[in-house]
Amino acid sequence: MKIFVVGAHLDDIELACGGTLAKAIEAGHEVKTVIMSQSGYTNFDGKQMRKNDDAVAEGTNALHALGVTDIEILDFPTKDIPYHSSVIEAIDQRISEYDPDVIFCHHPFDTHQAHVGVSKSTISAARRKNTIFMFEPIAPSGRSYVPFKPQMYVDISEVMDKKIEALKLHTTEYHKFGEEWITGVTCRCGFRGYEIGTKYAEAFEVLRCELDFGKKGLL
């Protein structure tokens, strides 16, 4: 199975579906990740919070910790990735070249404007694809007026350590948010795991899903 994952920033994918990707790779499936920005940014007061070089190095190391080797980082603006033809076409090109069986992307009712732009652009670019799952946002990005609806779950109990390792490799973000960041992610995965009777899980909202008995690994 070929899995295609689009994230706005370096750390989005690890937060949302790092365990799922690690588990898929261990099972022999192919994974390609596309990150739409180099992810450096400054605060509203002009203080530089993260440099592009640091974000790229940390994000690459983090994805490698999950077993991901096919990593492409584009150069759209970190804070303002729009729902625009330029973004749609960049994603469309890579979907056409890779021809995935499954696509993962952001939830369209996230509260981060760049996540929203990437989500809508991915949905447009993937109009010819039949299986698309959307990430569960995590606070503060998840505090939307339209709630995320968990519909598809992946048991990540056996790879939870890889997910946490990947997050801690984002050292600038780890230092910014502290151990509470890791605790929050762990607790959410624990809650999703509790819902399906396992220790840890990641949840996704289904945009659409093809039931195909001829493709190993698809629902």
Side-chain angles (χ1 to χ4, degrees):
M1 181 168 61
K2 298 176 73 174
I3 300 169
F4 183 82
V5 193
V6 187
H9 309 111
L10 291 148
D11 78 358
D12 290 339
I13 290 172
E14 298 89 309
L15 280 165
C17 63
T20 298
L21 300 187
K23 186 171 184 177
I25 290 166
E26 285 188 359
H29 300 290
E30 296 179 40
V31 173
K32 178 178 178 62
T33 56
V34 176
I35 298 91
M36 302 304 294
S37 71
Q38 295 188 40
S39 305
Y41 66 100
T42 56
N43 201 14
F44 62 88
D45 60 5
K47 181 181 178 181
Q48 187 171 48
M49 304 299 292
R50 198 181 195 192
K51 297 178 181 179
N52 280 337
D53 289 348
D54 292 336
V56 168
E58 292 167 5
T60 302
N61 288 338
L63 288 168
H64 284 166
L66 299 175
V68 179
T69 57
D70 192 344
I71 305 165
E72 189 171 1
I73 302 169
L74 306 184
D75 195 23
F76 287 94
T78 299
K79 295 181 182 179
D80 297 301
I81 307 171
Y83 178 36
H84 185 267
S85 60
S86 60
V87 182
I88 295 168
E89 288 175 353
I91 298 169
D92 193 359
Q93 176 188 346
R94 286 153 180 85
I95 289 174
S96 297
E97 292 170 351
Y98 186 65
D99 191 24
D101 301 302
V102 175
I103 294 172
F104 288 91
C105 68
H106 287 283
H107 190 253
F109 295 102
D110 202 306
T111 52
H112 193 303
Q113 66 282 356
H115 295 183
V116 174
V118 171
S119 175
K120 291 181 176 180
S121 296
T122 304
I123 291 168
S124 292
R127 58 198 176 277
R128 300 180 187 87
K129 293 297 179 180
N130 297 332
T131 303
I132 303 173
F133 302 125
M134 299 183 292
F135 306 150
E136 179 173 15
I138 191 164
S141 295
R143 308 193 74 181
S144 173
Y145 61 94
V146 177
F148 171 84
K149 298 182 288 297
Q151 298 165 329
M152 193 271 287
Y153 293 78
V154 178
D155 178 0
I156 64 165
S157 302
E158 294 181 359
V159 292
M160 186 65 186
D161 57 334
K162 289 188 176 182
K163 181 182 177 79
I164 297 305
E165 178 189 358
L167 292 180
K168 288 184 175 181
L169 286 169
H170 286 277
T171 52
T172 53
E173 299 298 272
Y174 185 35
H175 291 159
K176 175 184 175 182
F177 295 114
E179 192 62 27
E180 291 82 3
W181 186 45
I182 304 300
T183 300
V185 173
T186 302
C187 288
R188 184 178 72 174
C189 291
F191 176 68
R192 294 306 184 199
Y194 173 75
E195 289 184 312
I196 62 168
T198 190
K199 189 170 184 180
Y200 295 113
E202 290 171 339
F204 304 90
E205 189 167 324
V206 179
L207 177 65
R208 56 182 175 267
C209 182
E210 178 185 5
L211 181 63
D212 187 339
F213 296 105
K215 295 181 179 179
K216 183 180 179 181
L218 286 184
L219 298 179

